[in-house]
Amino acid sequence: MNRQFSFYICLVLVVMLHSSLQAQEYITVRTKHNALVLEVTQTKEVNTIYFGKTLTNEADYSKVASQYHQGNDYTGIYNAIYTPSGSKNLLEPALEVTHSDGNTSVSLIYAGSKTTTISKGITQTEIDLKDPAYPFQVKLFIKAYFNDDIIEQWSEITHQEKGKVILQKYASANLYLRGNNDFWLRHYHGDWAKEMQPEEQKLSHGIKVLDAKLGTRANLFQPSVFMVSLGAPSTEDQGEVLFGGLEWSGNFRTDLEVDPLNNLRIISGINNEAAAYPLQKNEVFTTPKFWYTLSHSGKGTASRNIQDWARNYKILDGKGNRLTLLNNWEATYFDFNETKLKALIADSKKLGVDMFLLDDGWFGNTYPRNDDHAGLGDWQENKKKLPNGIGTLVQTASDNGVKFGIWLEPEMVNPKSDLYHKHPDWVIKQPHRAEHYFRNQLVLDLSNPKVQDFVYNIVDNLFTKNPDLAYIKWDCNAVIYNAYSGYLKDDEQSKLYTDYVKGLYSVLERIRKKYPKIPMMLCSGGGGRVDYGALQYFTEFWPSDNTDPLERVYLQWEYSYFYPSLAMAAHVTNWGKQSIKYKTDVAMMGKLGFDIVVNELSDKDLMFCQQALKNYNALKNTIWQGTQYRLQDPWDHEVASLMYVSAAKDKAVLFNYLVKDRYDNGSHLPIQLKGLDPSATYQVKEINVYPGTSTVITTTSYTGDFLMTIGLNPNVTTSHTSVVLELSKE
């Protein structure tokens, strides 16, 4: 009897063991068209088994892995959701640490998960991982925006070890895309006035690294945004493509590794170069968010996903209004006084914009800001230029029925300044090395709370003295040389790059708490800092100091893949040889502004600008909030063409620009439009017609079906280099 009982007990145990080995736990994160499926393995590791188009049958996800016969994964964690270093991993890690006892290995096993609904259409999945040998934990966050097909990932790292743990690498996300023949990377490079230059290449085995080590102005040479096409380079409307980017305004690093099984691993986060981070017991380190979207119908769909998501959740006041403006920079540079500025403010009213923006050069007394060699840090009005202060200019603007905005560069300091001499310990510089200047300036140490207070007070004092101040242009022109903080301890110096950005965000949080709706432009000598970490505090960004309209067609085209038009400041300036019409038509692609000498415009030029502003104000909601469609790119066509369609599909605006000005170039064929109601009839009308010239498009009606199937020729020629068309449903 005892033997029989023992037999049954053993049988039950065998069945239970078999059942436990077979019963895997799956974690599924869904968006409208995609599913990210994770598996908790028998050894309690969390791996990605699927990321792609949603399958109809939930049970089918567990069968995916068995269909791939690509070779041996000797570790079982090539596809880890967050790859640790130093244990059995053979590939690039997402996490690398040195424990308090000097051990450099990490193992992460599953300790639980939960999914909660944040709001309608938004879920957040939290996955707890722990090291079985050390009191060390990682919590992974996966936030899904269902309707936008956007996912954000980030991590929280903490421990309860006796001493501090050094985070050697601390990525935000670790994606895994299964082999689909080839992976094609489109990324960007550039420099001042040459931002967003695209390159596309097939990824080979090994690691392609996209990174920045500049400290501030991190995107100067390379932004963190990128695209990866699966199988073949995607087009605007065809192909499977992933867009991604990091929500972080400092040094970043993205590793794209084609592994031995021909799958792609993407690891993105804060750049760990010279940035090891000491973590104290129970201190929580939160990484920045990494966002991504996967499209199965080309780059256009991915871009529209991002633009909708950005307006709804990421950009400050993304559904709100924006101000057209006149900037004085190219009219005066540093050479101005109160009288000259009051005349320019009156010109703002005459032109028809919403606001006058006073740029660099209004401050400094001991070291007056008459060029870019002095004054940064001394934010008092220059008494010679502005004897009655900013207040009189704000009042003049009000008297003229326009608003007043002002330029700041509060993170920076010139060696020729009172601040530099009074607080040398506030400046980032090595104590035993020569100073190196970028645009004749150095960077203030925002890891220091006193410096954070100083920067906050610059803004707060301006608004306290001038409560009707309506706009801030926040610039950031220098990178960090000779990184060293007088505030941080010697054994904490590697925290500087990371804590600088944390300090910046802390200041911006305080500003936004007190001044939640004041419009602010994010500028960094152009697009040197734009990302969705910064844009939560700013209403718009300055893409480039290069305002040549032909160059801007290309720049704004590439930026538009990742950022919506209402966030992209575009100004009409004296750069370029094109007509005022071409310049204005190009600037209307984004958030329109002017940087011209109004009183030097001819009568016809002024009349054109005034009417163009009226047209823009009538169409701005369609441009800012509408759905964007790129029709012909500037790289491969003589004419670049794109359009915005209102949500109700009752309005649209079509921009067309000649970009290759050679003999007989132009729009020889009709351009197929997109996004219209095929059953509706649209009146097509040319706007922004230069005074004294005739229209090139006769006002005519077409069905949406005709416009999307046959198309419309905008009649762009070397004589009519830009044509803007308004479509209205009849």
Side-chain angles (χ1 to χ4, degrees), residues 13-38:
L13 290 173
V14 169
V15 170
M16 290 176 62
L17 178 61
H18 177 74
S19 176
S20 67
L21 291 175
Q22 294 299 313
Q24 305 291 355
E25 183 174 349
Y26 296 97
I27 303 168
T28 303
V29 178
R30 297 180 186 83
T31 60
K32 190 171 186 178
H33 297 104
N34 297 312
L36 172 65
V37 185
L38 312 175

mmCIF file of all heavy atoms in Angstrom, residues 13-38:
data_model
loop_
_atom_site.group_PDB
_atom_site.id
_atom_site.type_symbol
_atom_site.label_atom_id
_atom_site.label_comp_id
_atom_site.label_asym_id
_atom_site.label_seq_id
_atom_site.Cartn_x
_atom_site.Cartn_y
_atom_site.Cartn_z
ATOM 1 N N LEU A 13 3.801 14.411 -8.878
ATOM 2 C CA LEU A 13 4.905 15.363 -8.929
ATOM 3 C C LEU A 13 5.454 15.507 -10.338
ATOM 4 O O LEU A 13 5.774 16.616 -10.795
ATOM 5 C CB LEU A 13 6.024 14.944 -7.971
ATOM 6 C CG LEU A 13 5.705 15.074 -6.475
ATOM 7 C CD1 LEU A 13 6.831 14.464 -5.641
ATOM 8 C CD2 LEU A 13 5.515 16.541 -6.096
ATOM 9 N N VAL A 14 5.558 14.391 -11.052
ATOM 10 C CA VAL A 14 6.047 14.424 -12.436
ATOM 11 C C VAL A 14 5.098 15.226 -13.319
ATOM 12 O O VAL A 14 5.510 16.060 -14.127
ATOM 13 C CB VAL A 14 6.232 12.993 -12.988
ATOM 14 C CG1 VAL A 14 6.475 13.042 -14.502
ATOM 15 C CG2 VAL A 14 7.399 12.307 -12.300
ATOM 16 N N VAL A 15 3.806 14.984 -13.143
ATOM 17 C CA VAL A 15 2.802 15.702 -13.933
ATOM 18 C C VAL A 15 2.868 17.203 -13.634
ATOM 19 O O VAL A 15 2.817 18.040 -14.526
ATOM 20 C CB VAL A 15 1.386 15.149 -13.654
ATOM 21 C CG1 VAL A 15 0.334 16.050 -14.293
ATOM 22 C CG2 VAL A 15 1.273 13.733 -14.184
ATOM 23 N N MET A 16 2.991 17.522 -12.324
ATOM 24 C CA MET A 16 3.058 18.935 -11.943
ATOM 25 C C MET A 16 4.310 19.596 -12.512
ATOM 26 O O MET A 16 4.262 20.731 -13.001
ATOM 27 C CB MET A 16 3.050 19.057 -10.422
ATOM 28 C CG MET A 16 1.715 18.708 -9.774
ATOM 29 S SD MET A 16 1.795 18.760 -7.972
ATOM 30 C CE MET A 16 2.209 20.472 -7.708
ATOM 31 N N LEU A 17 5.436 18.905 -12.464
ATOM 32 C CA LEU A 17 6.683 19.442 -12.989
ATOM 33 C C LEU A 17 6.575 19.655 -14.490
ATOM 34 O O LEU A 17 6.961 20.696 -15.027
ATOM 35 C CB LEU A 17 7.847 18.507 -12.658
ATOM 36 C CG LEU A 17 9.227 18.934 -13.204
ATOM 37 C CD1 LEU A 17 9.616 20.298 -12.622
ATOM 38 C CD2 LEU A 17 10.275 17.880 -12.868
ATOM 39 N N HIS A 18 6.010 18.651 -15.180
ATOM 40 C CA HIS A 18 5.853 18.754 -16.626
ATOM 41 C C HIS A 18 4.949 19.941 -16.974
ATOM 42 O O HIS A 18 5.220 20.709 -17.896
ATOM 43 C CB HIS A 18 5.251 17.454 -17.178
ATOM 44 C CG HIS A 18 5.002 17.507 -18.661
ATOM 45 N ND1 HIS A 18 6.019 17.437 -19.581
ATOM 46 C CD2 HIS A 18 3.834 17.636 -19.370
ATOM 47 C CE1 HIS A 18 5.516 17.509 -20.804
ATOM 48 N NE2 HIS A 18 4.184 17.623 -20.706
ATOM 49 N N SER A 19 3.888 20.061 -16.187
ATOM 50 C CA SER A 19 2.947 21.158 -16.419
ATOM 51 C C SER A 19 3.621 22.503 -16.222
ATOM 52 O O SER A 19 3.425 23.434 -16.992
ATOM 53 C CB SER A 19 1.745 21.012 -15.486
ATOM 54 O OG SER A 19 0.882 22.117 -15.643
ATOM 55 N N SER A 20 4.451 22.594 -15.190
ATOM 56 C CA SER A 20 5.116 23.872 -14.914
ATOM 57 C C SER A 20 6.129 24.221 -15.993
ATOM 58 O O SER A 20 6.332 25.390 -16.319
ATOM 59 C CB SER A 20 5.801 23.822 -13.540
ATOM 60 O OG SER A 20 6.868 22.906 -13.551
ATOM 61 N N LEU A 21 6.763 23.184 -16.566
ATOM 62 C CA LEU A 21 7.720 23.433 -17.628
ATOM 63 C C LEU A 21 7.026 23.878 -18.913
ATOM 64 O O LEU A 21 7.541 24.664 -19.688
ATOM 65 C CB LEU A 21 8.565 22.183 -17.891
ATOM 66 C CG LEU A 21 9.551 21.802 -16.782
ATOM 67 C CD1 LEU A 21 10.241 20.482 -17.118
ATOM 68 C CD2 LEU A 21 10.591 22.891 -16.563
ATOM 69 N N GLN A 22 5.820 23.330 -19.151
ATOM 70 C CA GLN A 22 5.100 23.641 -20.367
ATOM 71 C C GLN A 22 4.374 24.987 -20.277
ATOM 72 O O GLN A 22 4.201 25.681 -21.261
ATOM 73 C CB GLN A 22 4.077 22.530 -20.662
ATOM 74 C CG GLN A 22 4.718 21.182 -20.995
ATOM 75 C CD GLN A 22 5.605 21.257 -22.231
ATOM 76 O OE1 GLN A 22 5.199 21.801 -23.246
ATOM 77 N NE2 GLN A 22 6.811 20.723 -22.137
ATOM 78 N N ALA A 23 3.887 25.312 -19.081
ATOM 79 C CA ALA A 23 3.064 26.513 -18.930
ATOM 80 C C ALA A 23 3.953 27.749 -18.854
ATOM 81 O O ALA A 23 4.519 28.053 -17.810
ATOM 82 C CB ALA A 23 2.207 26.396 -17.683
ATOM 83 N N GLN A 24 4.125 28.414 -19.987
ATOM 84 C CA GLN A 24 4.908 29.629 -20.018
ATOM 85 C C GLN A 24 3.992 30.816 -19.748
ATOM 86 O O GLN A 24 2.795 30.787 -20.020
ATOM 87 C CB GLN A 24 5.572 29.792 -21.393
ATOM 88 C CG GLN A 24 6.417 28.616 -21.830
ATOM 89 C CD GLN A 24 7.677 28.469 -21.004
ATOM 90 O OE1 GLN A 24 7.956 29.303 -20.156
ATOM 91 N NE2 GLN A 24 8.424 27.418 -21.228
ATOM 92 N N GLU A 25 4.593 31.900 -19.233
ATOM 93 C CA GLU A 25 3.839 33.127 -19.025
ATOM 94 C C GLU A 25 4.176 34.095 -20.138
ATOM 95 O O GLU A 25 5.350 34.275 -20.488
ATOM 96 C CB GLU A 25 4.176 33.738 -17.667
ATOM 97 C CG GLU A 25 3.367 34.993 -17.365
ATOM 98 C CD GLU A 25 3.597 35.516 -15.954
ATOM 99 O OE1 GLU A 25 4.214 34.785 -15.149
ATOM 100 O OE2 GLU A 25 3.177 36.654 -15.669
ATOM 101 N N TYR A 26 3.150 34.693 -20.711
ATOM 102 C CA TYR A 26 3.340 35.645 -21.796
ATOM 103 C C TYR A 26 2.827 37.019 -21.371
ATOM 104 O O TYR A 26 1.811 37.133 -20.686
ATOM 105 C CB TYR A 26 2.611 35.180 -23.065
ATOM 106 C CG TYR A 26 3.158 33.880 -23.610
ATOM 107 C CD1 TYR A 26 2.534 32.674 -23.312
ATOM 108 C CD2 TYR A 26 4.299 33.863 -24.400
ATOM 109 C CE1 TYR A 26 3.044 31.477 -23.790
ATOM 110 C CE2 TYR A 26 4.816 32.670 -24.886
ATOM 111 C CZ TYR A 26 4.181 31.478 -24.570
ATOM 112 O OH TYR A 26 4.691 30.294 -25.047
ATOM 113 N N ILE A 27 3.546 38.038 -21.799
ATOM 114 C CA ILE A 27 3.162 39.427 -21.538
ATOM 115 C C ILE A 27 2.985 40.083 -22.899
ATOM 116 O O ILE A 27 3.934 40.162 -23.687
ATOM 117 C CB ILE A 27 4.239 40.161 -20.728
ATOM 118 C CG1 ILE A 27 4.505 39.436 -19.406
ATOM 119 C CG2 ILE A 27 3.832 41.608 -20.465
ATOM 120 C CD1 ILE A 27 5.741 39.927 -18.673
ATOM 121 N N THR A 28 1.782 40.543 -23.180
ATOM 122 C CA THR A 28 1.485 41.114 -24.490
ATOM 123 C C THR A 28 1.138 42.590 -24.349
ATOM 124 O O THR A 28 0.268 42.960 -23.552
ATOM 125 C CB THR A 28 0.318 40.371 -25.162
ATOM 126 O OG1 THR A 28 0.638 38.979 -25.253
ATOM 127 C CG2 THR A 28 0.053 40.918 -26.554
ATOM 128 N N VAL A 29 1.829 43.407 -25.127
ATOM 129 C CA VAL A 29 1.564 44.840 -25.188
ATOM 130 C C VAL A 29 1.007 45.130 -26.573
ATOM 131 O O VAL A 29 1.649 44.825 -27.580
ATOM 132 C CB VAL A 29 2.842 45.659 -24.940
ATOM 133 C CG1 VAL A 29 2.562 47.157 -25.061
ATOM 134 C CG2 VAL A 29 3.431 45.334 -23.574
ATOM 135 N N ARG A 30 -0.180 45.708 -26.627
ATOM 136 C CA ARG A 30 -0.853 45.907 -27.913
ATOM 137 C C ARG A 30 -1.040 47.382 -28.225
ATOM 138 O O ARG A 30 -1.312 48.195 -27.342
ATOM 139 C CB ARG A 30 -2.234 45.246 -27.911
ATOM 140 C CG ARG A 30 -2.224 43.745 -27.756
ATOM 141 C CD ARG A 30 -3.655 43.201 -27.766
ATOM 142 N NE ARG A 30 -3.688 41.772 -27.483
ATOM 143 C CZ ARG A 30 -3.668 41.244 -26.273
ATOM 144 N NH1 ARG A 30 -3.596 42.041 -25.217
ATOM 145 N NH2 ARG A 30 -3.700 39.940 -26.104
ATOM 146 N N THR A 31 -0.910 47.695 -29.509
ATOM 147 C CA THR A 31 -1.399 48.957 -30.050
ATOM 148 C C THR A 31 -2.385 48.607 -31.163
ATOM 149 O O THR A 31 -2.713 47.437 -31.362
ATOM 150 C CB THR A 31 -0.246 49.827 -30.591
ATOM 151 O OG1 THR A 31 0.428 49.119 -31.638
ATOM 152 C CG2 THR A 31 0.739 50.167 -29.490
ATOM 153 N N LYS A 32 -2.853 49.594 -31.863
ATOM 154 C CA LYS A 32 -3.924 49.367 -32.837
ATOM 155 C C LYS A 32 -3.548 48.340 -33.896
ATOM 156 O O LYS A 32 -4.370 47.507 -34.295
ATOM 157 C CB LYS A 32 -4.301 50.695 -33.500
ATOM 158 C CG LYS A 32 -5.558 50.643 -34.351
ATOM 159 C CD LYS A 32 -5.957 52.047 -34.787
ATOM 160 C CE LYS A 32 -7.282 52.043 -35.521
ATOM 161 N NZ LYS A 32 -7.683 53.433 -35.908
ATOM 162 N N HIS A 33 -2.304 48.381 -34.360
ATOM 163 C CA HIS A 33 -1.895 47.498 -35.455
ATOM 164 C C HIS A 33 -0.759 46.551 -35.086
ATOM 165 O O HIS A 33 -0.384 45.708 -35.902
ATOM 166 C CB HIS A 33 -1.471 48.329 -36.674
ATOM 167 C CG HIS A 33 -2.582 49.152 -37.256
ATOM 168 N ND1 HIS A 33 -2.682 50.512 -37.055
ATOM 169 C CD2 HIS A 33 -3.650 48.798 -38.009
ATOM 170 C CE1 HIS A 33 -3.758 50.971 -37.678
ATOM 171 N NE2 HIS A 33 -4.366 49.956 -38.260
ATOM 172 N N ASN A 34 -0.202 46.686 -33.888
ATOM 173 C CA ASN A 34 0.990 45.922 -33.540
ATOM 174 C C ASN A 34 0.865 45.240 -32.187
ATOM 175 O O ASN A 34 0.048 45.638 -31.349
ATOM 176 C CB ASN A 34 2.222 46.843 -33.520
ATOM 177 C CG ASN A 34 2.517 47.442 -34.876
ATOM 178 O OD1 ASN A 34 2.537 46.729 -35.876
ATOM 179 N ND2 ASN A 34 2.726 48.743 -34.918
ATOM 180 N N ALA A 35 1.694 44.218 -32.013
ATOM 181 C CA ALA A 35 1.780 43.527 -30.723
ATOM 182 C C ALA A 35 3.248 43.286 -30.391
ATOM 183 O O ALA A 35 4.033 42.850 -31.249
ATOM 184 C CB ALA A 35 1.029 42.200 -30.771
ATOM 185 N N LEU A 36 3.609 43.596 -29.161
ATOM 186 C CA LEU A 36 4.909 43.249 -28.595
ATOM 187 C C LEU A 36 4.655 42.145 -27.584
ATOM 188 O O LEU A 36 3.942 42.354 -26.604
ATOM 189 C CB LEU A 36 5.535 44.471 -27.920
ATOM 190 C CG LEU A 36 6.822 44.238 -27.112
ATOM 191 C CD1 LEU A 36 7.958 43.788 -28.020
ATOM 192 C CD2 LEU A 36 7.205 45.495 -26.342
ATOM 193 N N VAL A 37 5.214 40.952 -27.845
ATOM 194 C CA VAL A 37 4.921 39.786 -27.014
ATOM 195 C C VAL A 37 6.208 39.312 -26.344
ATOM 196 O O VAL A 37 7.218 39.045 -27.008
ATOM 197 C CB VAL A 37 4.303 38.641 -27.841
ATOM 198 C CG1 VAL A 37 3.906 37.481 -26.926
ATOM 199 C CG2 VAL A 37 3.086 39.140 -28.613
ATOM 200 N N LEU A 38 6.157 39.224 -25.024
ATOM 201 C CA LEU A 38 7.293 38.784 -24.220
ATOM 202 C C LEU A 38 6.978 37.432 -23.598
ATOM 203 O O LEU A 38 5.830 37.156 -23.247
ATOM 204 C CB LEU A 38 7.595 39.801 -23.128
ATOM 205 C CG LEU A 38 7.675 41.267 -23.560
ATOM 206 C CD1 LEU A 38 7.864 42.168 -22.353
ATOM 207 C CD2 LEU A 38 8.784 41.471 -24.575
#
